[in-house]
Amino acid sequence: MMSQKSAPRARTITIAAKRGDLEMQKAKIASLFVQSLVLIGVTAMSAALIFSTLL
């Protein structure tokens, strides 16, 4: 009787864990995207600075 009651709960926990993993992957991708944008921005700024000093 106990295993029948705990089975749906275990399934719900598994689904929630999978959803959490997906959210973590989304967050990792988003942070990588932001980091690459920042890197591109910094590179562009430094390139513009170097270019303006050469002129």
Side-chain angles (χ1 to χ4, degrees):
M1 291 297 278
M2 288 289 283
S3 61
Q4 286 180 344
K5 282 186 177 180
S6 63
R9 189 179 296 159
R11 198 174 298 137
T12 307
I13 289 167
T14 308
I15 290 167
K18 282 181 183 172
R19 224 175 259 162
D21 288 346
L22 190 68
E23 290 299 318
M24 275 189 59
Q25 283 181 343
K26 281 183 187 174
K28 281 181 188 174
I29 291 166
S31 69
L32 277 172
F33 182 67
V34 169
Q35 281 178 353
S36 63
L37 281 180
V38 167
L39 194 66
I40 290 165
V42 168
T43 308
M45 291 267 288
S46 59
L49 192 66
I50 291 164
F51 190 68
S52 65
T53 53
L54 290 174
L55 288 176

